[in-house]
Amino acid sequence: MAEGSVLVEGLSFMDPFKGFLLTYFMPESCYDEFFLNFNLLDVPCLKILLSKGLGIGIILGSVMVKLPQIFKLMGSKSAEGLSFQTILLELLAITGTMAYCIHNKFPFSAWGEALFLMLQTIVIGFLIQRYGGNTSRGLLFIVVYVGLLILVLSPVTPLSVVTYLQASNMPAIIIGRLIQAVANFRNGHTGQLSAISVFLLFAGSLARIFTSLQETGDTLMALTYVISSTCNGIIALQVLYYWNSSPEHKKKKKKKSE
C-alpha cells in the first residue's frame, strides 16, 4: 500500500514534465527507470540522456556557431584567408549529412545542427564573393545551391544517391580542410578565420561521434564525424599557432624588410 502511494506521488509530481522529457530526452522505459524505480545509475538510460542532451546542446550552439565568422567578415569587409572552394566542399558535406538523415528518418537531435550550419555557410559563401567584388556571382551561388538542395531532398532522388552523397562527405571534408590549411600555411596567418567558430566546430564534431553512434547506430555517420573532428582539429591547431599573426602584421614586416 505504501509502495503504491509512492508510485502515485512520483507520477503526480512528474506528470507536468513527462511529455517534455519523453519528447526530447528519453524513451518511456528510461522515464520509468529514473522516476518510478529511482534507478538513477542505469547505464543504458544515462547514455541515452547524455546523447540527447549533447545533441540538443549542439543544435542550440549551431544556431550561432558561425555568427562570429560572419560578423568578422562584415566588420573587416574582407574575406582574406578564406577559401570559397572550402565553403563549397563544406556545403557538400553538410547537405549530404542532412539529406541522408532526413531520408533515413533519423531524429532531429541527431542532425539538426546541419540545417543551421548550412544557412550560415551559405551566408559566408556569399560574403566571400561579395567582398571579392563578385556580388552577382554570390547571388547566383545561392540560387543554384537552393535549387540543388530542393532536388536532393525531394522524393525524386533515390536513397542510393543520397547514401553515395553521404559517403562522399569524407573526401569532401578532407580536401576542403586541406585547402584551408594549405592557404593558412602559405599566408603565414589564418586571415579572417574566426577562432571562436573554429573551436566550436571542433568541439561539436567531437561530440557528434558519440551521439551519432548512440542515436543512429550508423557507422558511416560516425566515421564522417571522426574525419571531420580530425580535420577541424588541424585548423584549430593552426589558429593557435598563428594566434599573433595577422595580414596587417605580415604587411608591416614586409615594409620593414624593404
Side-chain angles (χ1 to χ4, degrees):
M1 197 63 185
E3 187 180 346
S5 63
V6 169
L7 288 178
V8 170
E9 284 175 14
L11 280 172
S12 62
F13 175 73
M14 292 307 298
D15 265 349
F17 311 100
K18 186 174 180 179
F20 174 77
L21 290 171
L22 295 185
T23 302
Y24 297 105
F25 289 101
M26 64 187 71
E28 191 155 8
S29 57
C30 288
Y31 176 88
D32 292 345
E33 199 65 40
F34 285 145
F35 302 113
L36 297 184
N37 301 330
F38 299 104
N39 180 14
L40 302 179
L41 298 177
D42 186 83
V43 175
C45 286
L46 284 174
K47 282 184 177 179
I48 292 171
L49 183 62
L50 177 61
S51 178
K52 292 284 187 183
L54 279 173
I56 291 170
I58 292 168
I59 292 169
L60 292 175
S62 71
V63 174
M64 59 186 71
V65 69
K66 290 197 174 189
L67 288 183
Q69 181 66 79
I70 292 170
F71 293 148
K72 191 170 184 180
L73 286 170
M74 293 175 73
S76 64
K77 298 192 184 305
S78 166
E80 185 176 0
L82 271 74
S83 165
F84 186 66
Q85 287 83 1
T86 296
I87 293 298
L88 290 177
L89 289 167
E90 194 173 337
L91 271 176
L92 173 64
I94 292 170
T95 306
T97 296
M98 190 167 68
Y100 182 75
C101 292
I102 290 172
H103 277 270
N104 282 287
K105 295 181 172 59
F106 291 152
F108 185 72
S109 58
W111 61 270
E113 79 279 5
L115 174 62
F116 301 107
L117 288 175
M118 175 198 72
L119 295 171
Q120 292 167 82
T121 305
I122 290 172
V123 173
I124 292 170
F126 171 75
L127 290 176
I128 290 174
Q129 291 297 328
R130 183 186 175 189
Y131 295 134
N134 297 304
T135 303
S136 57
R137 191 185 295 176
L139 292 170
L140 180 63
F141 151 70
I142 293 174
V143 171
V144 171
Y145 176 75
V146 170
L148 289 173
L149 178 65
I150 292 169
L151 179 63
V152 169
L153 294 179
S154 71
V156 176
T157 306
L159 182 59
S160 58
V161 173
V162 176
T163 304
Y164 177 78
L165 189 62
Q166 170 68 8
S168 70
N169 279 2
M170 283 176 269
I173 291 167
I174 293 169
I175 295 168
R177 287 291 179 258
L178 190 60
I179 291 170
Q180 185 64 65
V182 169
N184 293 340
F185 178 75
R186 284 179 177 169
N187 294 333
H189 58 76
T190 54
Q192 299 304 322
L193 267 179
S194 166
I196 297 172
S197 293
V198 168
F199 293 134
L200 285 174
L201 284 170
F202 177 51
S205 56
L206 275 176
R208 267 294 175 222
I209 299 171
F210 172 72
T211 62
S212 57
L213 284 171
Q214 183 66 36
E215 294 202 45
T216 69
D218 194 296
T219 52
L220 180 59
M221 272 191 72
L223 186 58
T224 300
Y225 285 117
V226 169
I227 298 293
S228 179
S229 298
T230 304
C231 295
N232 285 334
I234 292 170
I235 303 298
L237 286 173
Q238 284 189 315
V239 168
L240 291 173
Y241 184 76
Y242 295 120
W243 190 265
N244 293 318
S245 299
S246 66
E248 293 78 15
H249 182 66
K250 288 286 175 182
K251 284 172 187 174
K252 284 179 184 177
K253 268 192 169 182
K254 275 188 178 180
K255 282 180 183 178
K256 282 182 182 179
S257 62
E258 288 169 3

